[in-house]
């Protein structure tokens, strides 16, 4: 329905532009002829002793202008169609993704230590040297994954990554500890763009934060397609429930 309305509006704009061009030509042809040799257009006479206004030929915008406007509207319609197709593809639905590990290996961002360096990862709390924030990379073999101090096992903790610039993310993949059954079983995902100071949660169409069901089974890798693509620089995971400790390894993907 939205796509149909956009098409109708742009077609109406085109009709109006064409009509205006035609009317201009009619007015010029009928009322204000173009000056020719031996038949100049006289300007309006001025007061006695003063120069009158100069004459101006009636000129309509070149046809090229109309073509340019049509091209602009066609481009605008194409862009709108692309936006709507993307909305339809995601449709505000959080989708469990089969083959999440394969997707993350193909278009994940965080497993490449040369692209996203260790200092890009930070956390609200760190349990010990085996659980640094940068050990929170999906499939990471250094350390055990990220987790918090024993006294910090509450819903206010987080791990985040700085991608360096706003980057469009379409999904997330998580897993638990590399060495034991500690794992996060649900979480909220937040993001912050390069030009803002506040984190915003990924939300459902209702406006409520999406609570992602995560790794309920030890050793599992669970991925989700976001309800809509989001372009942001900082990404933060806030564990809500967990098994023993809110331990995490994760990746963000772009395909």
């Amino acid at each position: 329905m939205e796509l149909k309305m956009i098409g109708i509006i742009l077609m109406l704009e085109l009709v109006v532009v064409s009509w205006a061009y035609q009317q201009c030509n009619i007015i010029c042809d009928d009322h204000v002829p173009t000056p020719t040799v031996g038949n100049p257009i006289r300007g309006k006479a001025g007061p006695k002793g003063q120069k009158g206004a100069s004459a101006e030929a009636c000129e309509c915008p070149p046809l090229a202008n109309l073509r340019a406007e049509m091209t602009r509207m066609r481009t605008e319609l194409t862009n709108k169609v692309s936006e709507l197709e993307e909305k339809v593809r995601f449709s505000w639905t959080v989708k469990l993704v089969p083959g999440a590990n394969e997707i993350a290996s193909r278009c994940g961002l965080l497993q490449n230590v040369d692209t996203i360096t260790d200092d890009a990862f930070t956390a609200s709390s760190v349990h010990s040297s085996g659980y640094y924030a940068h050990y929170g990379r999906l499939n990471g073999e250094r350390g055990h994954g990220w987790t918090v101090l024993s006294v910090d096992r509450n819903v206010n903790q987080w791990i985040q990554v700085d991608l360096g610039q706003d980057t469009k993310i379409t999904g997330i993949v998580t897993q638990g500890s590399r060495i034991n059954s500690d794992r996060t079983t649900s979480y909220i995902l937040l993001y912050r763009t390069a030009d803002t100071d506040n984190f915003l949660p990924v939300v459902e169409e209702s406006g409520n934060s999406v609570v992602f069901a995560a790794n309920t089974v030890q050793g599992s890798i669970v991925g989700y397609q976001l309800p809509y693509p989001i372009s942001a620089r900082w990404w933060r995971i806030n564990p809500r429930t967990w098994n023993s400790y809110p331990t995490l390894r994760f990746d963000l993907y772009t395909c």
Side-chain angles (χ1 to χ4, degrees), residues 89-115:
R89 183 163 73 91
F90 285 82
S91 302
W92 290 89
T93 303
V94 177
K95 297 179 181 178
L96 190 64
V97 177
N101 194 32
E102 184 276 329
I103 292 175
S105 64
R106 177 162 46 88
C107 53
L109 298 178
L110 308 185
Q111 297 180 66
N112 188 337
V113 296
D114 295 324
T115 303

Side-chain angles (χ1 to χ4, degrees), residues 35-252:
T36 59
V37 177
N39 184 31
I41 298 176
R42 299 184 180 279
K44 183 178 179 182
K48 186 176 181 181
Q50 298 183 29
K51 184 178 179 180
S54 60
E56 293 184 0
C58 179
E59 294 182 1
C60 295
L63 186 58
N65 288 8
L66 177 58
R67 292 197 181 102
E69 180 64 13
M70 292 171 63
T71 300
R72 182 196 67 78
M73 288 191 288
R74 190 180 300 114
T75 300
E76 182 178 340
L77 177 60
T78 301
N79 292 339
K80 287 291 185 181
V81 169
S82 297
E83 291 175 9
L84 287 173
E85 285 177 342
E86 191 165 67
K87 285 183 179 179
V88 169
R89 183 163 73 91
F90 285 82
S91 302
W92 290 89
T93 303
V94 177
K95 297 179 181 178
L96 190 64
V97 177
N101 194 32
E102 184 276 329
I103 292 175
S105 64
R106 177 162 46 88
C107 53
L109 298 178
L110 308 185
Q111 297 180 66
N112 188 337
V113 296
D114 295 324
T115 303
I116 305 296
T117 57
D118 287 348
D119 59 3
F121 291 83
T122 53
S124 57
S125 173
V126 172
H127 182 277
S128 59
S129 60
Y131 295 93
Y132 291 136
H134 59 266
Y135 291 159
R137 300 177 192 265
L138 190 76
N139 295 321
E141 296 184 354
R142 297 180 299 163
H144 315 313
W146 164 78
T147 198
V148 301
L149 288 166
S150 298
V151 295
D152 290 333
R153 284 180 287 181
N154 57 60
V155 296
N156 299 317
Q157 307 308 314
W158 48 263
I159 179 174
Q160 74 180 37
V161 62
D162 177 3
L163 300 182
Q165 61 184 1
D166 286 347
T167 304
K168 186 170 76 171
I169 299 300
T170 59
I172 181 170
V173 182
T174 61
Q175 63 185 158
S177 171
R178 190 173 66 85
I179 62 169
N180 56 36
S181 62
D182 295 351
R183 59 191 182 274
T184 296
T185 54
S186 69
Y187 61 89
I188 291 174
L189 180 62
L190 304 99
Y191 61 93
R192 175 186 155 198
T193 59
D195 59 352
T196 59
D197 296 325
N198 300 317
F199 280 88
L200 297 174
V202 175
V203 297
E204 302 170 328
E205 190 170 10
S206 64
N208 296 323
S209 299
V210 175
V211 179
F212 294 85
N215 303 91
T216 56
V217 178
Q218 182 179 354
S220 62
I221 296 178
V222 179
Y224 287 96
Q225 175 184 281
L226 301 186
Y228 43 89
I230 300 174
S231 184
R233 175 175 173 175
W234 289 275
W235 291 84
R236 175 179 291 185
I237 298 178
N238 168 219
R240 308 302 289 178
T241 59
W242 49 85
N243 182 71
S244 186
Y245 278 82
T247 306
L248 260 178
R249 290 178 289 164
F250 73 104
D251 203 351
L252 303 168

